[in-house]
Amino acid sequence: MCGIVAYIGQQQAAPIIIKGLKRLEYRGYDSAGISLLNGGLNVYKKMGKVAELEALVKDKSLESTIGIGHTRWATHGEPNDINAHPHQSNSGELTLIHNGIIENYASIKQDLLSKGFTFKSETDTEVLVNFIESIKTERQCSLARAVRIALNAVVGAYAIVIMSADNPNQLIAARKGSPLVIGIGKGEFFFASDATPIIEYTNEVVYLNDFEVAIVENNKLTITDLKEVEKTPYIQTIEMELEAIEKGGYDHFMLKEIYEQPRSIQDCMRGRLNAAEGRLVIGGIREYANKLVNSERIVINACGTSWHAGLVSEYFIEEFCRIPVEVEYASEFRYRNPIINEGDTVFAISQSGETADTLAAIELAKSKGAIIFGLCNVVGSSISRVSHEGAYTHAGPEIGVASTKAFTAQLTVMFMIALKMAYKRGTIADSTYRSMLVEMENIPLKVEKALQLNEQIEEIAANFKDATNFLYLGRGYNFPVALEGALKLKEISYIHAEGYPAAEMKHGPIALIDEDMPVVFIATKDSGYEKIVSNIQEVKARKGKVIAIVTEGDDEIHKMADHTIEVPHTLEPLMPLISVIPLQLLAYHIAIMRGCNVDQPRNLAKSVTVE
Ligand code: G6P
């Protein structure tokens, strides 16, 4: 969690840093700060969003061509002005920004206290900056060496940038476990947690690897490992359009991203799927393609919305390929001594490609000899780099904390992978394969149609904005969609919501149903239709309020439900791509009507880079 930005060059650093922090606010937004070298190191920091920091520094002299900034998602110490970053060393000579957690900070702090260091905040970061200072003073060494020595002693995760009062031409950065990108401009360098603060200035970047230290000094970048062995920076050119990360006329990023789905699904298929030619190519899976196709068992690791995409993927793979699949919460998998054998197949699904638990889970699986296939949205992200092979979802930057277009892109790419595997295994009839390809190509248009329901959904939302609980029920492919619909609502509107398999309702949730309980049924015409109709009757018999997502032209449910939302028909496996759209919009409108900040819901962050 947390976003970091730093700049060194000839331009004014403060505006670049503040703008960059705003782009990174999705990573955390409970406090923000900036440090500039301007007659000594000045630090300005404030609890709240980057806008509060901006107001704080409005009248300050911010003249400086070097600086570091941070937007925080609290781990050690509550969100307040003092715990905000940057943190300054006792002498005032160093300031540091940090994303991650220093796990052994308590013992280091104890040692520093015994040496006379004092601490203002409760953070592990203030311990780290003073640890570096103590090493630098005791050993009389360069700052870069002190940083390396300190990081060799540190347990945990970090991406840091450190600035020194006595060297206006130097910034030092390092990473282990938390992302850090360095932008290389003409006579200037940018550091950030992802490329979004950098791309309007340069598209040449270096993704720092774990255990690497980057030193920019006198306009030159040097990278070493923690033992001081120099490494050659691998400079990449990134392609990302600035307008893709701006709101583009929508009130919120979330709404923009919901509306982008016809295009993002299309982008995900581009160059991969061609129904007319019967072609399906996943360019990122080549060397290990046979291994994948012949898998005896597949394990999918993910968190949050990506885990829901994993559940749908399980259905795809088991139905089309007849290979057993297990879907794991990465945070559970990694701590329960899972059975992974040499050559097993493991998928990691992650929008950000940085989720700490997913990353650790696949590293564990890799250490046991598994072949890892990464499904990430963020190009160059950690998961994409540690995976053996994989595929990008190509949904474009997703800024809204609640994931929407990344989910449908994940379904799209997993559908294509499963279909391709099934074709190669001979477990799918040729005619089914072809009709699936044709229908997948139709999905963007059908999603477009589902988006036209927006006004109706807004009206329905008005009836339920004051609800305190919600139940989401679905069967088969629509069960993970029920989970996702409930997650969307609770994330952004703070209404308690539960997703359940519709039949399982009788084993508990039915006790909750009364006239105040809205129940969302995802009841499209598929193999479980008759059963779900019975479930709707069971809810109506107990006076629950039913909102049903149905297939166009369905009048059976129309007669029973309080509200019906009609979505276009599609093949059963592809329905999640369509049935989730009204649920995203419903959550969005309810949250807006409740006055919630949908793009930055409380306590959440887009990218969870801590365990
Ligand atoms: C956070 C985000 C969710 C996301 C989850 C997994 O909780 O708020 O939207 O689904 O992390 O993130 P990933 O980047 O691994 O998909």
Side-chain angles (χ1 to χ4, degrees):
M1 231 72 77
C2 305
I4 62 183
V5 187
Y7 175 80
I8 181 166
Q10 288 117 36
Q11 301 189 60
Q12 286 303 309
I16 294 173
I17 292 171
I18 288 179
K19 196 170 183 186
L21 290 179
K22 285 188 174 162
R23 296 228 166 99
L24 291 182
E25 260 190 324
Y26 72 88
R27 301 177 63 85
Y29 37 81
D30 57 41
S31 51
I34 186 167
S35 174
L36 298 163
L37 185 49
N38 158 355
L41 286 176
N42 296 312
V43 178
Y44 306 101
K45 45 194 197 172
K46 189 84 192 129
M47 180 172 159
K49 304 244 161 77
V50 177
E52 313 275 341
L53 171 70
E54 218 175 358
L56 173 79
V57 298
K58 204 164 55 130
D59 307 322
K60 306 275 191 299
S61 152
L62 302 176
E63 196 74 16
S64 177
T65 56
I66 174 172
I68 60 179
H70 189 273
T71 177
R72 180 169 185 249
W73 186 86
T75 53
H76 286 68
E78 64 176 76
N80 61 28
D81 293 357
I82 293 173
N83 287 334
H85 298 212
H87 287 281
Q88 195 154 18
S89 63
N90 276 193
S91 70
E93 286 290 300
L94 304 175
T95 48
L96 176 88
I97 46 174
H98 168 216
N99 167 30
I101 291 183
I102 306 299
E103 288 169 17
N104 59 340
Y105 83 104
S107 59
I108 300 173
K109 186 172 185 177
Q110 214 43 54
D111 190 45
L112 292 172
L113 284 168
S114 70
K115 289 176 179 162
F117 278 86
T118 57
F119 296 90
K120 297 188 190 118
S121 77
E122 302 150 90
T123 64
D124 50 346
T125 307
E126 194 184 9
V127 173
L128 182 59
V129 69
N130 282 302
F131 186 38
I132 294 169
E133 174 155 294
S134 78
I135 294 169
K136 186 170 180 286
T137 319
E138 281 164 25
R139 307 216 185 182
Q140 291 289 302
C141 63
S142 69
L143 178 60
R145 181 160 295 168
V147 167
R148 283 187 209 102
I149 295 169
L151 295 181
N152 271 310
V154 151
V155 178
Y158 54 77
I160 58 165
V161 185
I162 187 163
M163 180 164 71
S164 162
D166 63 14
N167 195 345
N169 301 313
Q170 183 195 61
L171 275 183
I172 297 178
R175 90 158 250 179
K176 186 206 151 201
S178 301
L180 193 59
V181 190
I182 304 168
I184 304 173
K186 289 202 171 57
E188 57 186 358
F189 292 85
F190 306 80
F191 298 78
S193 300
D194 72 29
T196 52
I198 296 175
I199 48 163
E200 69 183 278
Y201 309 102
T202 175
N203 59 0
E204 307 250 286
V205 299
V206 172
Y207 289 96
L208 209 59
N209 292 310
D210 279 350
F211 305 108
E212 285 183 348
V213 178
I215 303 130
V216 169
E217 188 158 19
N218 299 325
N219 204 13
K220 183 173 178 288
L221 169 67
T222 312
I223 294 182
T224 75
D225 65 13
L226 288 184
K227 295 197 184 89
E228 220 170 320
V229 177
E230 208 169 315
K231 300 183 125 193
T232 312
Y234 171 48
I235 302 174
Q236 303 184 41
T237 306
I238 48 164
E239 284 161 25
M240 197 190 276
E241 288 165 26
L242 191 57
E243 69 164 21
I245 53 171
E246 307 283 7
K247 277 192 206 142
Y250 288 91
D251 289 344
H252 301 93
F253 281 112
M254 182 181 175
L255 192 60
K256 170 179 174 252
E257 288 157 8
I258 291 174
Y259 272 88
E260 274 173 354
Q261 289 175 105
R263 208 192 69 200
S264 53
I265 295 170
Q266 194 77 60
D267 287 346
C268 185
M269 290 190 282
R270 184 160 297 122
R272 291 169 166 167
L273 189 153
N274 185 322
E277 293 171 14
R279 188 161 48 85
L280 192 50
V281 182
I282 309 293
I285 304 179
R286 287 179 188 279
E287 199 182 324
Y288 295 91
N290 280 340
K291 167 75 208 56
L292 175 61
V293 167
N294 295 315
S295 302
E296 283 175 14
R297 165 180 174 248
I298 292 177
V299 176
I300 300 177
N301 265 290
C303 302
T305 290
S306 299
W307 185 80
H308 297 155
L311 286 183
V312 181
S313 310
E314 174 186 12
Y315 293 13
F316 290 152
I317 298 171
E318 293 201 341
E319 180 178 344
F320 305 158
C321 311
R322 309 310 296 156
I323 301 172
V325 179
E326 289 153 53
V327 187
E328 299 271 359
Y329 282 117
S331 54
E332 288 296 314
F333 175 86
R334 58 181 292 207
Y335 289 118
R336 65 170 183 80
N337 195 11
I339 301 170
I340 290 289
N341 298 316
E342 183 84 30
D344 273 356
T345 300
V346 173
F347 274 93
I349 306 183
S350 173
Q351 187 286 128
S352 62
E354 301 295 346
T355 300
D357 281 319
T358 311
L359 190 55
I362 60 172
E363 273 169 350
L364 172 70
K366 203 173 171 187
S367 74
K368 289 172 181 274
I371 308 297
I372 314 293
F373 297 91
L375 270 292
C376 300
N377 194 39
V378 176
V379 177
S381 56
S382 301
I383 291 175
S384 68
R385 289 185 294 137
V386 301
S387 299
H388 290 95
E389 289 199 311
Y392 285 115
T393 42
H394 296 311
E398 191 180 66
I399 309 292
V401 165
S403 185
T404 52
K405 63 174 180 170
F407 176 70
T408 45
Q410 287 165 345
L411 299 189
T412 305
V413 78
M414 284 306 295
F415 174 83
M416 291 190 290
I417 290 173
L419 208 55
K420 177 83 189 191
M421 286 167 66
Y423 182 75
K424 292 256 178 193
R425 287 169 67 83
T427 48
I428 193 165
D430 202 48
S431 57
T432 314
Y433 173 76
R434 288 195 178 255
S435 58
M436 292 273 183
L437 288 185
V438 170
E439 186 56 8
M440 185 65 234
E441 273 188 352
N442 291 334
I443 291 294
L445 268 180
K446 295 191 174 182
V447 169
E448 191 83 65
K449 249 184 129 188
L451 288 167
Q452 289 165 11
L453 299 164
N454 184 43
E455 263 179 44
Q456 186 208 351
I457 294 168
E458 190 173 358
E459 280 164 25
I460 296 174
N463 295 290
F464 297 102
K465 67 177 178 32
D466 300 320
T468 46
N469 294 289
F470 253 88
L471 202 53
Y472 286 71
L473 302 174
R475 304 178 78 111
Y477 278 99
N478 280 328
F479 159 56
V481 178
L483 296 180
E484 177 59 9
L487 176 63
K488 286 293 83 88
L489 187 73
K490 69 185 133 195
E491 278 182 309
I492 60 172
S493 73
Y494 318 138
I495 296 176
H496 167 245
E498 277 191 66
Y500 246 79
E504 196 57 25
M505 170 185 74
K506 287 201 267 307
H507 300 284
I510 199 163
L512 300 170
I513 292 169
D514 60 16
E515 59 276 15
D516 295 325
M517 178 63 111
V519 185
V520 179
F521 275 94
I522 303 106
T524 49
K525 276 243 163 76
D526 56 31
S527 54
Y529 181 75
E530 297 306 332
K531 305 267 181 222
I532 208 157
V533 168
S534 308
N535 299 137
I536 294 176
Q537 276 159 341
E538 286 154 9
V539 169
K540 278 318 296 173
R542 286 154 187 88
K543 300 194 168 51
K545 296 274 177 303
V546 170
I547 306 160
I549 314 297
V550 299
T551 308
E552 263 169 9
D554 182 323
D555 44 46
E556 193 177 347
I557 295 180
H558 194 74
K559 289 183 204 132
M560 291 178 239
D562 297 84
H563 305 274
T564 46
I565 299 168
E566 294 188 23
V567 296
H569 169 77
T570 186
L571 296 174
E572 194 166 336
L574 290 169
M575 189 44 98
L577 283 153
I578 296 175
S579 57
V580 75
I581 305 292
L583 305 187
Q584 296 170 344
L585 288 168
L586 184 68
Y588 173 81
H589 288 299
I590 292 179
I592 294 292
M593 288 170 193
R594 289 165 72 91
C596 300
N597 182 343
V598 295
D599 281 338
Q600 295 173 337
R602 71 184 180 207
N603 304 340
L604 294 177
K606 182 83 189 143
S607 176
V608 181
T609 55
V610 293
E611 295 177 20

